[in-house]
Amino acid sequence: MKGPLFYSKILLFGEYGIIRDSKGLSIPYNFYNGALKTEANHTDEAIKSNENLKRFVSYLETLQTEQSDLVTFDLQALKNDVASGMYFDSSIPQGYGVGSSGALVAAIYDKYAQNKITVLENLTREKLLKLKTIFGFMESFFHGKSSGLDPLNSYLSIPILINSKDNIEATGIPTQSFNGKGAVFLLDSGIVGETAPMVTIFMENLKDQGFRNMLKTQFIKHTDACVENFLGGDMKALFANTKKLSKVVLNHFKPMIPEQFHGIWQNGIDSNDYYLKLCGSGGGGYILGFTEDLEKAKAALKDYKLEVVYQF
């Protein structure tokens, strides 16, 4: 028995900024997915996933006690399924910034939440925010603190525009052009990233007045512009603003960029062949790239594995 598939996601813009109310844009990425499975499986991954689910169940029991007005689960059914070996069968790489825990949270909510908000109903802003809040509480088991956006994206499988913390909406994105020269791509750093330590560094930096000013006057300003350019299909402005954003990240988010990528990050800015930015919290996993000429970017990054996410 295999449950419905839940996809990975990519936060195109808004990493870290959304903590401080910048805009953000999150899109489903169907290349990776996961589903709950109940048939017996004795691989190491399945056993590890099942152990993880046992701990998650205890966490959800506590959550339900503390937040019974917000969400309740059929805990008995969940416990029985976990006891009989249920695990999350996923191709989504962990620690890569593409939402592996988000897909798991979405799958558990979908199967075991009572009175759940479904994808088929009219998704008002209130419903979206309620879902985001529930998912934030659920996913904080994995990360310490979660916005709830990854599971929301995975659950709904539609692009989500974040206007601010309390204002999110489902959105449409410009149609892909599969023979277009421009592209958004993923660059594999080959290193597994840990979200929690990166968020801790960011929170520490926020204590500094200069860092807060930089966030507001540069990072958030460029992020918001990128979101508007992308949704409006203004690719010329998008690349100009992505370049600015790439520079700001290299100058002010160095700990989040694996050291061996500082050089190629700078090369992209200098050559204009591509611009790199963080994918998720950074520290490893994927790095997100934007290019006006995919062939040029591939040639410049020939030693690395590129996965195209979106073409225009």
Side-chain angles (χ1 to χ4, degrees):
M1 214 349 249
K2 187 172 180 175
L5 289 176
F6 290 91
Y7 296 105
S8 51
K9 63 81 222 180
I10 289 170
L11 186 61
L12 277 187
F13 300 104
E15 70 295 334
Y16 291 110
I18 52 176
I19 298 175
R20 303 293 286 187
D21 257 1
S22 79
K23 283 186 184 290
L25 180 64
S26 185
I27 62 169
Y29 182 43
N30 298 355
F31 188 72
Y32 296 118
N33 57 58
L36 291 167
K37 273 192 173 177
T38 40
E39 69 243 23
N41 187 324
H42 305 296
T43 63
D44 289 347
E45 274 96 16
I47 292 163
K48 199 171 150 194
S49 169
N50 178 258
E51 289 299 321
N52 208 7
L53 279 176
K54 283 177 189 161
R55 290 190 290 276
F56 192 35
V57 172
S58 308
Y59 173 81
L60 292 179
E61 276 191 281
T62 312
L63 176 63
Q64 178 165 303
T65 311
E66 292 169 1
Q67 302 282 346
S68 56
D69 293 350
L70 188 64
V71 64
T72 57
F73 301 94
D74 185 348
L75 287 170
Q76 203 46 59
L78 175 54
K79 281 180 181 169
N80 293 346
D81 288 346
V82 171
S84 61
M86 183 173 76
Y87 65 101
F88 190 59
D89 183 28
S90 167
S91 65
I92 307 169
Q94 292 189 354
Y96 263 67
V98 286
S100 55
S101 57
L104 169 56
V105 165
I108 293 285
Y109 177 84
D110 180 63
K111 191 166 182 187
Y112 299 100
Q114 293 171 323
N115 308 316
K116 68 179 182 188
I117 296 168
T118 71
V119 185
L120 301 170
E121 58 198 81
N122 177 20
L123 288 167
T124 60
R125 187 170 293 168
E126 285 70 33
K127 283 179 185 170
L128 282 173
L129 279 173
K130 186 178 178 184
L131 269 175
K132 181 175 173 287
T133 306
I134 291 168
F135 289 150
F137 277 118
M138 288 175 72
E139 199 184 31
S140 59
F141 168 75
F142 300 96
H143 291 321
K145 188 174 184 346
S146 160
S147 67
L149 263 177
D150 287 6
L152 184 66
N153 204 295
S154 190
Y155 184 63
L156 300 175
S157 226
I158 46 177
I160 292 164
L161 169 64
I162 302 106
N163 294 303
S164 65
K165 274 196 192 75
D166 307 320
N167 181 351
I168 55 174
E169 56 187 297
T171 188
I173 57 174
T175 314
Q176 290 210 60
S177 147
F178 290 103
N179 50 6
K181 280 177 80 174
V184 181
F185 60 86
L186 292 173
L187 182 67
D188 188 347
S189 74
I191 304 159
V192 173
E194 287 278 336
T195 299
M198 294 297 130
V199 173
T200 306
I201 293 170
F202 178 75
M203 291 311 204
E204 272 304 304
N205 288 346
L206 279 181
K207 293 175 183 171
D208 176 69
Q209 180 67 43
F211 187 81
R212 289 201 303 276
N213 283 346
M214 175 281 300
L215 262 189
K216 194 170 162 187
T217 59
Q218 298 176 46
F219 188 77
I220 290 176
K221 182 182 155 197
H222 302 326
T223 296
D224 288 359
C226 285
V227 172
E228 282 161 23
N229 299 155
F230 186 84
L231 290 177
D234 184 348
M235 294 307 161
K236 194 169 164 36
L238 173 70
F239 283 102
N241 283 309
T242 306
K243 181 175 184 174
K244 289 175 189 166
L245 188 57
S246 186
K247 275 185 189 167
V248 171
V249 174
L250 186 58
N251 291 334
H252 299 282
F253 289 79
K254 274 238 166 56
M256 286 74 165
I257 305 169
E259 211 165 306
Q260 59 272 48
F261 287 90
H262 292 181
I264 65 161
W265 200 289
Q266 186 64 55
N267 289 349
I269 294 166
D270 295 341
S271 66
N272 296 316
D273 287 345
Y274 58 88
Y275 306 124
L276 301 180
K277 61 183 291 298
L278 296 173
C279 179
S281 56
Y286 285 118
I287 293 166
L288 207 47
F290 287 73
T291 179
E292 288 182 270
D293 188 330
L294 184 57
E295 291 315 309
K296 260 189 187 168
K298 278 182 177 168
L301 296 165
K302 63 182 186 306
D303 300 333
Y304 301 91
K305 203 173 95 194
L306 264 62
E307 281 175 33
V308 175
V309 171
Y310 186 90
Q311 269 178 279
F312 42 79

